[in-house]
Each structure stands twice: as C-alpha cells, then as structure tokens.
Amino acid sequence: MKIIRVHTKSRPSSVCCGAGALDEAINFLQGAQVFIVTDSNVFRLYQTLLAERFPQASVCVLPAGERHKNRRSLFRILDEMLGAQLHRSSVVVALGGGVIGDMAGLAAAVYMRGTRLIQIPTTLLAQVDSSVGGKTAIDYRGVKNMVGAFYQPERVFCDPLFLQTLPNREIRCGLGEIIKTAVLDPQVKDLVVQNFTRLFDFAFLQDLAAECVRFKAHIVERDETETSGLRKCLNLGHTTGHALELLCGRRSHGEYVLIGMWLESKIAEAEGVCSREYAEQIRAMIRLVLPRIPCFANAAEGLQFALLDKKNTSQGMVSMILPKAEGEYVEYVLPAERYGEYLKLLEGEQR
Ligand SMILES: NC(=O)c1ccc[n+]([C@@H]2O[C@H](COP(=O)([O-])OP(=O)(O)OC[C@H]3O[C@@H](n4cnc5c(N)ncnc54)[C@H](O)[C@@H]3O)[C@@H](O)[C@H]2O)c1
Ligand SMILES: [Zn+2]
C-alpha cells in the first residue's frame, strides 16, 4: 500500500492507495459518527459490505449519474445530514465516483460551514483524479461545476477492490484522465508507453493510479485554489471535452477528455505551440484507449459551451491548456470564431 501526502495549506491530507485501503478507512473512522453518501449503483453492489463494515453509519443514497449532480441532490444530502443530526465533528464519507465525491464534498463544505470529510472513491477516474485536490461542485444551469468550493478531505482511501465491478466503459473513462496526466508528466508517460499492453490490467492500474495521485498532489500543493495558474494544467483537454460533454452527454467524462485532447493537440500543432512529432505522440497515446475518434455532426455548436468555461477571462475568447513539449504546457487563448473553426475538425468522417 502506498501513502501519498498532500501538503495543502488549508488542510494537509493523505491518500492511501492499494489493497487494504478500505480497512484503513474503517480504522480511521473508529468512534466517529459516520454519514455515508453514495449512489444507487454503488449501493446495489456494496449494500452487504456496507452493512457489515459500517453497521452504525447513516447512508444517503442518491440517483446515479452526472445529470443528478445538481442542487436537488445537494439539498437532499443536506436534508439527510440534518435529519441524522450530524455535528461538525461527524464524518461525511463520499463513497462513489467523481459525481458523489464532488457533491458530498460540497455538502461537507457548507453544512455548518464545514464538517469532516473523507473520500472512498470507487471508480478509476475518482481514484486517479477527482477524489484528490479538494475541488467540490455541482452543475448549475447547464454549466459544469458552476457552484462549488475548495474543500480538502482529511484522507482519501483508494481500494482496488471497487474496480472489480466497474464496467469497461468506466475503466476507459479513468484511463482518459490517466492519459491526460501522462501528457503532463514524463514519469507517468513513460509508465504508460512502456506498459501499453497492460492498460486494462488491474495490478498495473493500481501502480499507475498511485503515480497519477503523486503528480496531482504535487500540483495541488503548489496551487491549491488555482490562483497562480499552475493547477489549470489539470484542465488539459477539458475545454473541448466539457463543451462536447454539455453538447452531447452520451459518453463518459474521460472519453470526452480524450476527444478534447485529440482536438487540442491538433490546435497546438496548427498554432505552432508544439511540434507535429510531439502532437502525434499525444494522439498515439489517446488511441491506446480510444482507437477511433468519433465524429460529431454539430461539433461547432460546442462553441457556446466553450465560451462558458471557467478558465475564460475575456469575452469572446476561449482559453485552453495546450501541450508544448514533454512535461510542458501553456495556457492559450483563441478568438471564439477561430476556435469554432477548429471544432469543425470533429465533424465528418471518423478518424
Ligand atoms: N473534483 C475534481 O477534481 C474532479 C476531477 C475530475 C472529474 N471530476 C468530476 O467527476 C465526475 C465523473 O466521475 P466518474 O467518472 O467517477 O462518474 P460517476 O460518479 O458518475 O461514476 C460513473 C458510473 O459508475 C458507477 N460506479 C461507481 N463506482 C462503481 C463501482 N465500483 N462498480 C460499478 N459501478 C460503479 C456510478 O454509479 C456511475 O454510474 C464528473 O462530474 C467530473 O466533473 C471532478
Ligand atoms: Zn476531468
């Protein structure tokens, strides 16, 4: 088992990765009033485990899926917290994927101005990315993660036991964020490239997940609240990814991130931000997980959503993180019209 410390100013935390992490969580929670937030799929799969391992806990079960990452679910969690008479030293446990982690995290941040929080991520995406770093949010009026807070969990426990029930599509989703990290971090890139045949092998994924957490912790420690600009690098592929996710919403978040990175590597190449050779290397990594980039007949309509991206600072301009060279990236701003033209590269034939 690996322990990765996250030295954030607001609250230092640590991430425990590997088999046995759930037992560690149970030990950590000894004696506390525990309030578990989960979704209907995770509850169905792990109901017995929950009853056996957390017999005293209150459990709040929300409908599964991104479309329920909204104020209704947030207020339902808060209502149930109040109903369970939680106090500030009670512990909210986010047991689920990124949707549950983000919503339970936000509920913990605002209930009585802050209750204790731990994350037990159950999807690959949540284990490698969303459970670490303290970003919490709900979607609001069609804008992803519009209402949220930075709120660090005390601990994160990533147990590979949960990955066994994950559908392949969700593994692919987590791999989307892993490939993003590989583009940002040469160490993760080497691991991915040298072991490309093992990307769907759980033993390898466990090592890879810990490396991704190490990288994210390093970034978050230096720019916890995204003020210096450093943390924005974690949004690579997300300007286009989020725009397509809001436009179509049929695929998983990680797949949209892969498609977003594909387009943004094309933009980086065309704008002279990176070499063609480097852009090709990125696209080769993307193809390891998503062999064919799908087409979107109405891709250009994604512009309206890209214009709502939280990274944008001036009207009519779209901001994105572009890859520059190995381990290097830059924030790049394009006039809306030019970005709209690039979006059209996603229309037409499959690639
Ligand atoms: N806070 C952050 O820093 C951050 C970073 C990246 C992504 N996110 C957010 O994370 C969300 C995506 O997370 P996600 O991909 O985990 O989605 P998700 O939480 O919707 O989970 C995906 C699906 O897997 C199911 N599931 C969860 N655990 C399972 C298990 N062990 N076995 C079988 N099924 C299981 C869920 O019920 C759901 O249907 C998005 O809302 C995104 O904005 C947040
Ligand atoms: Zn993401």
Side-chain angles (χ1 to χ4, degrees):
M1 194 147 44
K2 290 185 183 152
I3 310 279
I4 297 145
R5 309 245 173 245
V6 192
H7 299 283
T8 32
K9 284 195 197 86
S10 68
R11 176 189 292 129
S13 62
S14 67
V15 186
C16 176
C17 299
L22 180 66
D23 298 331
E24 291 292 324
I26 289 162
N27 285 340
F28 180 78
L29 292 167
Q30 286 295 332
Q33 184 187 10
V34 175
F35 183 86
I36 298 174
V37 183
T38 192
D39 74 24
S40 49
N41 293 334
V42 178
F43 186 68
R44 181 173 40 81
L45 290 162
Y46 295 100
Q47 193 169 5
T48 313
L49 179 144
L50 284 182
E52 282 171 10
R53 310 297 309 269
F54 299 92
Q56 313 288 344
S58 315
V59 184
C60 167
V61 185
L62 297 167
E66 179 76 30
R67 71 193 176 88
H68 296 289
K69 189 178 167 181
N70 55 24
R71 60 180 163 170
R72 193 159 175 216
S73 300
L74 174 69
F75 279 93
R76 181 147 152 224
I77 303 172
L78 293 170
D79 283 345
E80 291 194 24
M81 287 169 81
L82 203 54
Q85 297 182 320
L86 294 204
H87 42 82
R88 281 172 127 181
S89 51
S90 311
V91 187
V92 173
V93 176
L95 178 83
V99 168
I100 287 298
D102 280 10
M103 288 197 298
L106 182 55
V110 298
Y111 183 84
M112 293 188 177
R113 299 198 186 91
T115 46
R116 299 178 62 196
L117 169 70
I118 74 162
Q119 296 271 357
I120 306 183
T122 62
T123 61
L124 181 62
L125 179 135
Q127 294 197 355
V128 299
D129 191 347
S130 63
S131 64
V132 179
K135 274 192 181 179
T136 72
I138 53 166
D139 303 337
Y140 185 61
R141 292 190 178 254
V143 185
K144 260 194 76 90
N145 301 327
M146 180 66 192
V147 175
F150 288 98
Y151 195 68
Q152 297 296 340
E154 285 178 28
R155 296 270 201 287
V156 181
F157 299 94
C158 301
D159 198 314
L161 110 87
F162 293 107
L163 303 185
Q164 285 162 18
T165 51
L166 261 193
N168 230 344
R169 166 194 147 102
E170 297 303 335
I171 297 285
R172 203 178 297 282
C173 177
L175 281 166
E177 301 284 3
I178 289 176
I179 298 295
K180 174 197 81 179
T181 310
V183 176
L184 296 169
D185 181 57
Q187 246 170 281
V188 175
K189 181 183 174 202
D190 288 349
L191 257 183
V192 166
V193 172
Q194 286 160 15
N195 298 277
F196 71 93
T197 55
R198 300 177 63 205
L199 283 179
F200 288 84
D201 159 349
F202 283 175
F204 174 62
L205 277 180
Q206 212 174 299
D207 293 342
L208 197 51
E211 276 305 298
C212 291
V213 168
R214 174 198 53 74
F215 174 76
K216 186 162 181 186
H218 177 66
I219 297 287
V220 168
E221 281 169 357
R222 289 188 291 162
D223 184 19
E224 185 179 357
T225 51
E226 217 164 87
T227 36
S228 77
L230 179 71
R231 189 170 176 165
K232 279 189 185 172
C233 74
L234 301 173
N235 286 304
L236 190 107
H238 281 64
T239 298
T240 307
H242 277 164
L244 295 172
E245 195 171 350
L246 286 166
L247 182 70
C248 317
R250 275 193 300 272
R251 295 168 174 272
S252 70
H253 173 75
E255 283 174 303
Y256 285 115
V257 170
L258 288 166
I259 299 163
M261 277 194 294
W262 182 89
L263 184 74
E264 291 171 17
S265 76
K266 288 271 179 191
I267 297 177
E269 185 184 330
E271 294 284 318
V273 173
C274 79
S275 68
R276 174 164 202 182
E277 189 194 0
Y278 184 56
E280 289 285 0
Q281 276 181 34
I282 293 173
R283 292 194 284 271
M285 275 200 291
I286 293 169
R287 276 195 293 273
L288 293 174
V289 183
L290 200 64
R292 306 197 84 187
I293 302 298
C295 60
F296 299 84
N298 56 346
E301 289 171 31
L303 175 62
Q304 56 187 306
F305 297 110
L307 282 167
L308 296 173
D309 194 283
K310 289 192 291 305
K311 289 185 292 308
N312 299 335
T313 49
S314 30
Q315 236 184 349
M317 305 293 277
V318 177
S319 167
M320 68 201 76
I321 307 299
L322 293 183
K324 223 173 134 184
E326 191 167 281
E328 290 179 42
Y329 30 80
V330 64
E331 184 170 8
Y332 199 80
V333 180
L334 274 177
E337 208 172 290
R338 193 145 98 236
Y339 176 70
E341 285 304 310
Y342 282 125
L343 274 175
K344 288 183 187 160
L345 291 174
L346 288 167
E347 296 177 357
E349 290 302 298
Q350 285 202 327
R351 286 146 292 257

